[in-house]
């Protein structure tokens, strides 16, 4: 009997896990599930607006459109915008039908009597692939190797341009041509910016000594400057979300009002004598802002650049209700605000 009880006990011990375990599992399975915490909605990124009319083979670095060419669409069919690609191409865009062509950079003129006296140091915007600066007779092409040539509007052969005093540039951040002179915006040292005026000389050259354009005692921090536009006044967009207004050799910060949320990092900017408003790209919010020339908000359009992109150029035709927005990867046709 003892043996039998022992045997029964052994059997009960051996099977105990199989009898109890299902009961545990059943309790687990029948317990109410925990209440799930709803996830916050996934933020949506506004789509990129506009139509891409040119894509970079390397990286786009500059846009140039002849001055005061914004009017009714049919009146600018013969005007060509130029976009510089750092692989060595200049893309030509006919502004009438907005057709894109890709043309090689014109061959450099043969060095000789027109050779620039001293090559421009590859600093500032020159170090990022070169520059394009529109002027009345064409576009100045600043090659990264320090030479300057003018590319004519009507297909004339390129011509070397002499620029004197370039060794004094410390950190050139932008350049524009207004009237007979070229103005170079130099970040300078320790936040003390300099605007160099290079007077025009015979034959479209700039071989006179440059002069400091700002009045004595005027200070302009150009170290954060990203772009410059001019209508007789120089408008400098900056990476701190502000715009400098430079007129008559004096500098002041333009107070922006009505911009919500406030601009935080301004990229490409545009206006000219035929344009009533200021247009500027606020890069973090990916929007194009329209301001009057007192800094008051007039409108905006979102999604003009892709997330994380830098706006490298801007041109606006108010009469034709169209704009060109250049980033490192594409040139887009956008409806302005």
């Amino acid at each position: 009997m003892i043996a039998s009880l022992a045997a029964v006990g052994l059997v009960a011990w051996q099977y105990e896990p199989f009898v109890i375990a299902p009961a545990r599992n059943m309790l687990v399975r029948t317990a109410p599930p925990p209440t799930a915490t709803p996830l916050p909605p996934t933020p949506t990124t506004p789509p990129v607006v506009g139509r891409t009319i040119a894509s970079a083979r390397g990286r786009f670095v500059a846009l140039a459109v002849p001055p005061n060419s914004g009017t009714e669409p049919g009146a600018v069919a013969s005007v060509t915008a130029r976009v510089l690609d750092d692989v060595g191409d200049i893309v030509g865009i006919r502004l009438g039908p907005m057709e894109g062509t890709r043309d090689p950079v014109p061959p450099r003129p043969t060095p000789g009597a027109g050779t620039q006296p001293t090559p421009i140091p590859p600093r500032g915007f020159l170090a990022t692939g070169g520059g394009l600066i529109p002027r009345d007779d064409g576009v100045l092409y600043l090659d990264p190797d320090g030479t300057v040539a003018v590319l004519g509007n009507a297909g004339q052969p390129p011509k070397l341009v002499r620029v004197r005093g370039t060794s004094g540039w410390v950190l050139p951040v932008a350049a524009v041509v207004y009237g007979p002179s070229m103005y170079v915006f130099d970040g300078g040292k320790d936040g003390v910016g300099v605007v160099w005026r290079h007077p025009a000389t015979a034959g479209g050259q700039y071989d006179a000594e440059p002069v400091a354009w700002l009045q004595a005692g005027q200070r302009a921090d150009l170290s954060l400057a990203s772009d410059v536009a001019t209508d007789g006044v120089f408008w400098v967009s900056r990476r701190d979300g502000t715009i400098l207004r430079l007129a008559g050799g004096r500098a002041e910060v333009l107070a922006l009002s009505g911009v919500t949320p406030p601009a935080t990092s301004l990229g490409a900017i545009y206006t000219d004598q035929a344009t009533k408003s200021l247009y500027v790209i606020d890069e973090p919010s990916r929007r194009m802002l329209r301001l009057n020339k007192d800094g008051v908000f007039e409108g905006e359009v979102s999604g003009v650049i892709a997330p994380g992109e830098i706006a490298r150029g801007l041109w606006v035709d108010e009469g034709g209700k169209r704009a060109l927005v250049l980033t490192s990867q594409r040139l887009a046709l956008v409806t302005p605000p």
Side-chain angles (χ1 to χ4, degrees):
M1 178 66 69
I2 295 174
S4 298
L5 290 174
V8 172
L10 179 59
V11 171
W13 178 83
Q14 287 177 334
Y15 281 88
E16 184 179 9
F18 298 94
V19 172
I20 296 174
R24 291 196 195 103
N25 292 337
M26 187 177 299
L27 291 174
V28 171
R29 285 197 299 269
T30 58
T35 302
T37 302
L39 295 174
T42 303
T44 58
T45 302
V48 179
V49 302
R51 175 167 63 91
T52 298
I53 56 177
S55 297
R57 288 203 306 168
R59 181 184 57 172
F60 285 147
V61 295
L63 167 69
V65 180
N68 298 327
S69 56
T71 116
E72 293 304 317
V76 291
S78 63
V79 175
T80 298
R82 290 185 171 101
V83 181
L84 178 61
D85 193 323
D86 69 356
V87 298
D89 286 351
I90 289 181
V91 179
I93 306 295
R94 287 184 290 274
L95 296 184
M98 282 296 180
E99 296 173 349
T101 64
R102 184 177 286 274
D103 305 312
V105 173
R108 188 173 301 154
T110 303
T115 303
Q116 184 172 298
T118 304
I120 300 174
R123 297 192 288 264
F125 72 92
L126 296 178
T128 63
L132 297 176
I133 306 170
R135 72 179 193 180
D136 289 340
D137 63 341
V139 171
L140 289 177
Y141 169 45
L142 284 73
D143 192 286
D145 72 359
T147 60
V148 180
V150 61
L151 313 178
N153 285 328
Q156 301 97 330
K159 181 177 66 174
L160 277 174
V161 175
R162 297 185 301 274
V163 183
R164 188 177 298 276
T166 59
S167 59
W169 298 355
V170 176
L171 184 66
V173 293
V176 298
V177 171
Y178 181 74
S181 299
M182 179 173 68
Y183 297 82
V184 175
F185 297 78
D186 189 346
K189 297 179 180 178
D190 302 323
V192 181
V194 180
V195 180
W196 297 108
R197 183 174 71 86
H198 291 263
T201 54
Q205 306 296 311
Y206 301 107
D207 54 2
E209 287 295 331
V211 295
W213 176 81
L214 286 170
Q215 293 182 13
Q218 287 290 304
R219 293 176 62 89
D221 186 352
L222 299 174
S223 61
L224 296 177
S226 54
D227 197 15
V228 179
T230 184
D231 56 1
V233 171
F234 299 115
W235 309 90
V236 183
S237 55
R238 299 197 299 184
R239 295 294 176 192
D240 60 356
T242 63
I243 295 175
L244 279 182
R245 181 182 185 274
L246 306 178
R250 302 180 64 85
E252 63 176 349
V253 177
L254 181 68
L256 306 187
S257 62
V259 179
T260 305
T264 55
S265 181
L266 298 179
I269 189 170
Y270 184 80
T271 195
D272 64 12
Q273 290 177 301
T275 303
K276 295 179 180 178
S277 300
L278 287 173
Y279 297 84
V280 64
I281 307 296
D282 182 31
E283 291 172 344
S285 65
R286 305 172 51 223
R287 55 185 168 156
M288 182 194 303
L289 300 174
R290 178 175 178 168
L291 311 166
N292 73 16
K293 294 183 180 180
D294 292 321
V296 178
F297 176 80
E298 294 182 329
E300 67 177 54
V301 58
S302 299
V304 296
I305 62 175
E309 282 191 324
I310 294 174
R312 298 188 177 274
L314 178 63
W315 173 80
V316 178
D317 173 9
E318 286 184 332
K321 294 183 173 21
R322 57 190 177 164
L324 295 176
V325 178
L326 182 74
T327 72
S328 60
Q329 295 303 312
R330 71 171 193 149
L331 178 68
L333 177 64
V334 174
T335 301

